Amino acid sequence: MRLSDEDISKVRSSADIADIIGRFVPLVKKGKSFTAVCPFHDDHDPSLSISQDKQIYKCFVCGAGGNVFTFVQEYEHVSFPEAVVKVAELVGIPLQVNATDFVKQVDPHKEAGYKVMNEAIQYMMYTLNSANGALAKEYLKKRGIDEKISQMFEIGYNDESDNLYKFLNAKGYKDTDCVATNLTKITSSGLHDVFTSRITFPIHDVEGNPIGFSARTMDPSNPSKYINTTETEFYVKGNTVYNYHRAKNDARKLGYVLVVEGVTDVIAFARAGITNVCATLGTACTTNQLKLLKQCSSTIRFCYDGDKAGQAATYKACKMAIELGCKVEIVSNKTEHDPDEIIKEYGFEKLQDMVKKPISWIEFVFDYLSKKYDLTNYSSKKEFAQEVMGEIKLLNDDFDRQNFTHQLSTMTGFNFQSMLNETQVTSRKENVEVKRVKPIAQTIDGRIAAEDIVVSQMLLSIDASYIFKEKLGFLTGDKQQKVVMMILDEYRKNDEIILADFMDALKNEDLKRYLLELTTSESLPQSYSKDILIGAIDRIKKWLLEEKVNNLKKQISTITNDESRIALMQEYSNSLVELRRYVDEESRKKQDGSI
């Protein structure tokens, strides 16, 4: 059963977003909009804004936002089709489907695997509380894991004599399913339990289905303290985030997800009352794991162990997360202990306090790299300075760039300020000077801001799309270019863009988030203006020309072929003349007060 685009559009256009959200949370009228206490995080002052004009909502604290369907999805924890059906019921629109038609169909083989693993979990939890599990129970008790925590995380014990396999076999489960889920293994002497004499911690997928186990030995002489399920069709370590299904809602409410190394780290935080915690099951964090974590929250707060390996893993994982567009924070761990050890040594309050006071990415970079490099050696200090400066350049805030550049110069004695100062491009032949009055990072920020104006103007009027195609045709920002292409495609079908409907066409969460930020920004024009649009396009073209001039200058300085050099010099000269025109026009507008 499938909902048609016509049905979705009909329901959406019939549902007033303020009316629907008002059925779930109390609303307060504020000007043209409504406000409410946000249900998606621990909110006390109304931070949720609902626009009837645009038919969207946005929380300015946790970032939650979207159209009427998005709200019902998030509030009711249902799929998109189920949300459409729910809204249709609320506004009295008859559909030929109901919510039960969209229950996800499960592969029978996968279903059999989930079933046998759930049965194993229940058996091992029972065993932990039996006479056979007495030593394991005492072992957990000594480590502060009480009955409440054991039940929360479904901790069990796989006793000896292949009792788990015997139990599953007696219950009628197939040997093939027991082996496929890595509960049992085939040996020359038959089938045997994989996690014999180990305390077991079930691992689940994002929907809460069991997919594997991490299991700990109590034998101090055993070199394999932990073993995990081997990779199966159910469990792939690099695609799995432990405790995701429990932590995701709290992470969204709190506005960040806390990431640790292992299972017992998650449990240690739960003992301290911190529940928005996931584990990457080791320090080898993968892109797929980070993409999952980003769905919990775009702010990821790392809390790997404080030892060298943990800090090195933090550095690597943070860089990967930043590349995916996440904001990263780091729990500063100076103790060189893991969370469980911190509780034993200092108590719950220490762990809670550490989490409340994260440091920024750039602060961690300074701290971590200053320990990695020998700052008494010139070559090593140079490498340190260059690596740190590379991160400083990527900072969005001008104050931060200036501040941390000064800090780096003070630490190393190197002068990096020139990298942020004004630079000049001069053509002696034409005697034309073009001043670049902003740092490189600021120039990029300015260009993106101008591109945001172009996108917002195109959302407001089809005329803006005609001007864009004629005068520019593309944008340099990845999100901006993708949204613009979708806008142009929408205008091929319709003369107007209905924002709430357009959001449904954006399947990518990053693009939806970008669109929300764009359309709720108070700094952007709320109505179409040809002058504003052309002004933004001209600024983009000016910056592109500056970039072209710089690149040509570099090429000219390295090329040896006279003929090629002359051609490049001519192109360089023409580009400078064109750039001068844009600079003069910008100066004129500033004098006129038009910008």
Side-chain angles (χ1 to χ4, degrees):
M1 188 67 68
R2 182 181 179 276
L3 284 167
S4 68
D5 291 339
E6 290 76 13
D7 279 341
I8 294 169
S9 181
K10 182 180 179 182
V11 173
R12 216 283 314 145
S13 61
S14 301
D16 177 69
I17 192 166
D19 175 57
I20 299 299
I21 293 180
R23 303 192 191 199
F24 296 91
V25 295
L27 303 185
V28 176
K29 182 76 171 173
K30 190 175 181 181
K32 291 184 177 181
S33 302
F34 289 86
T35 61
V37 171
C38 179
F40 304 117
H41 76 280
D42 187 17
D43 195 16
H44 301 288
D45 296 318
S47 58
L48 191 76
S49 176
I50 301 102
S51 169
Q52 284 182 298
D53 289 343
K54 298 175 182 176
Q55 287 293 301
I56 61 173
Y57 71 94
K58 171 73 183 293
C59 175
F60 292 97
V61 174
C62 72
N67 62 14
V68 66
F69 300 139
T70 316
F71 183 89
V72 174
Q73 270 187 274
E74 294 296 320
Y75 193 91
E76 297 276 275
H77 307 295
V78 295
S79 66
F80 175 77
E82 289 172 296
V84 174
V85 173
K86 176 76 174 178
V87 174
E89 291 171 354
L90 291 173
V91 296
I93 300 292
L95 296 175
Q96 300 303 310
V97 296
N98 56 62
T100 57
D101 294 327
F102 301 103
V103 175
K104 189 176 179 181
Q105 297 299 310
V106 180
D107 178 345
H109 176 62
K110 284 284 185 73
E111 186 65 35
Y114 298 147
K115 193 172 180 182
V116 71
M117 281 189 276
N118 269 319
E119 192 79 69
I121 289 169
Q122 295 306 311
Y123 174 79
M124 290 187 281
M125 288 177 69
Y126 168 81
T127 303
L128 179 64
N129 290 293
S130 71
N132 287 352
L135 287 176
K137 187 89 169 176
E138 183 63 24
Y139 182 91
L140 291 170
K141 185 179 178 181
K142 286 179 180 177
R143 281 152 181 78
I145 298 176
D146 58 18
E147 184 63 24
K148 180 182 176 183
I149 293 293
S150 288
Q151 290 292 324
M152 181 188 298
F153 291 96
E154 301 177 300
I155 300 171
Y157 179 62
N158 192 162
D159 57 351
E160 300 175 355
S161 305
D162 298 318
N163 285 336
L164 174 61
Y165 169 64
K166 292 172 184 175
F167 169 78
L168 294 173
N169 183 260
K171 293 278 286 186
Y173 289 99
K174 297 177 181 177
D175 288 354
T176 51
D177 290 329
C178 294
V179 173
T181 53
N182 197 224
L183 290 167
T184 60
K185 58 186 176 184
I186 301 172
T187 71
S188 57
S189 58
L191 287 170
H192 298 287
D193 291 351
V194 169
F195 304 114
T196 298
S197 301
R198 287 181 179 267
I199 297 169
T200 54
F201 304 89
I203 300 168
H204 300 78
D205 64 17
V206 295
E207 294 170 346
N209 298 308
I211 55 175
F213 294 85
S214 183
R216 195 194 199 287
T217 183
M218 295 181 289
D219 181 2
S221 65
N222 190 328
S224 301
K225 186 163 69 171
Y226 282 93
I227 61 172
N228 288 347
T229 295
T230 57
E231 295 216 342
T232 66
E233 59 190 296
F234 299 90
Y235 173 72
V236 178
K237 181 177 177 294
N239 297 340
T240 304
V241 174
Y242 175 74
N243 202 46
Y244 183 96
H245 67 300
R246 297 187 192 96
K248 59 185 178 182
N249 289 334
D250 285 340
R252 287 165 184 161
K253 287 178 183 177
L254 291 169
Y256 71 94
V257 58
L258 189 64
V259 178
V260 296
E261 290 183 24
V263 170
T264 52
D265 297 328
V266 172
I267 292 171
F269 277 103
R271 289 169 55 210
I274 301 168
T275 53
N276 58 325
V277 190
C278 295
T280 50
L281 297 168
T283 55
C285 185
T286 68
T287 300
N288 285 343
Q289 287 175 319
L290 289 169
K291 286 178 179 177
L292 277 179
L293 290 165
K294 190 180 178 184
Q295 291 175 26
C296 277
S297 174
S298 58
T299 299
I300 302 178
R301 192 173 296 180
F302 286 92
C303 187
Y304 283 169
D305 291 353
D307 57 16
K308 285 185 178 180
Q311 295 300 284
T314 300
Y315 186 71
K316 182 178 179 182
C318 283
K319 287 180 77 72
M320 291 168 62
I322 290 168
E323 287 179 7
L324 289 174
C326 300
K327 176 186 176 184
V328 299
E329 299 172 339
I330 298 91
V331 175
S332 181
N333 186 353
K334 305 291 186 183
T335 67
E336 295 195 358
H337 294 322
D338 63 30
D340 190 50
E341 293 166 338
I342 291 170
I343 291 173
K344 287 178 188 174
E345 187 77 21
Y346 306 103
F348 293 128
E349 293 78 11
K350 174 70 172 178
L351 197 62
Q352 292 162 349
D353 193 52
M354 286 169 57
V355 172
K356 289 175 185 175
K357 299 174 181 177
I359 61 173
S360 67
W361 162 241
I362 196 65
E363 288 174 298
F364 176 77
V365 168
F366 269 91
D367 182 64
Y368 171 69
L369 293 180
S370 65
K371 294 171 183 173
K372 177 182 174 182
Y373 290 100
D374 178 7
L375 300 189
T376 63
N377 175 275
Y378 175 80
S379 296
S380 182
K381 183 166 65 172
K382 178 182 175 182
E383 287 183 57
F384 162 77
Q386 289 174 327
E387 191 165 350
V388 174
M389 193 63 204
E391 296 301 325
I392 291 174
K393 286 180 180 179
L394 297 176
L395 295 174
N396 291 324
D397 187 271
D398 183 46
F399 177 85
D400 287 344
R401 282 194 299 272
Q402 295 285 350
N403 176 52
F404 286 109
T405 299
H406 176 72
Q407 185 175 322
L408 181 61
S409 295
T410 302
M411 281 183 71
T412 62
F414 300 144
N415 180 16
F416 283 95
Q417 198 61 39
S418 59
M419 291 190 175
L420 295 178
N421 288 342
E422 295 180 359
T423 60
Q424 295 181 332
V425 179
T426 305
S427 168
R428 292 180 182 174
K429 182 177 178 181
E430 299 292 331
N431 197 27
V432 176
E433 183 183 77
V434 180
K435 294 184 178 181
R436 302 186 65 206
V437 295
K438 294 181 180 180
I440 293 170
Q442 270 189 295
T443 301
I444 294 170
D445 290 347
R447 184 194 301 172
I448 294 302
E451 292 190 356
D452 287 344
I453 291 173
V454 171
V455 177
S456 67
Q457 289 288 293
M458 289 177 68
L459 285 166
L460 293 167
S461 171
I462 193 171
D463 291 339
S465 70
Y466 298 143
I467 293 171
F468 169 77
K469 285 191 288 186
E470 177 190 345
K471 292 186 173 293
L472 193 61
F474 73 97
L475 297 177
T476 61
D478 183 55
K479 293 192 292 285
Q480 288 79 0
Q481 176 65 8
K482 286 177 180 176
V483 172
V484 155
M485 289 298 101
M486 295 189 73
I487 289 172
L488 292 175
D489 186 58
E490 184 66 20
Y491 279 135
R492 291 187 189 99
K493 297 174 283 187
N494 301 294
D495 292 336
E496 181 185 7
I497 286 179
I498 306 298
L499 184 59
D501 287 341
F502 185 66
M503 290 193 75
D504 286 335
L506 297 175
K507 305 304 180 187
N508 184 291
E509 289 302 317
D510 285 344
L511 295 184
K512 281 188 178 181
R513 195 176 297 112
Y514 166 69
L515 193 65
L516 267 172
E517 291 171 357
L518 196 71
T519 53
T520 56
S521 171
E522 295 180 358
S523 64
L524 291 172
Q526 298 300 304
S527 58
Y528 170 62
S529 166
K530 182 178 179 180
D531 289 342
I532 289 174
L533 173 65
I534 292 176
I537 289 173
D538 284 348
R539 289 197 296 279
I540 294 166
K541 291 170 83 169
K542 180 175 79 77
W543 282 316
L544 290 172
L545 272 169
E546 286 178 345
E547 194 173 83
K548 181 180 179 181
V549 164
N550 286 331
N551 289 334
L552 285 169
K553 188 176 180 181
K554 289 176 184 176
Q555 290 180 54
I556 290 166
S557 66
T558 57
I559 202 160
T560 57
N561 182 281
D562 288 342
E563 188 176 338
S564 299
R565 185 181 178 84
I566 290 169
L568 285 174
M569 284 293 292
Q570 183 60 50
E571 187 178 358
Y572 177 71
S573 176
N574 293 340
S575 298
L576 278 171
V577 171
E578 189 178 358
L579 180 55
R580 181 75 263 174
R581 182 174 64 80
Y582 278 108
V583 171
D584 289 343
E585 179 64 17
E586 189 174 63
S587 298
R588 184 190 63 77
K589 287 181 179 179
K590 284 180 179 178
Q591 289 173 359
D592 293 345
S594 55
I595 61 171

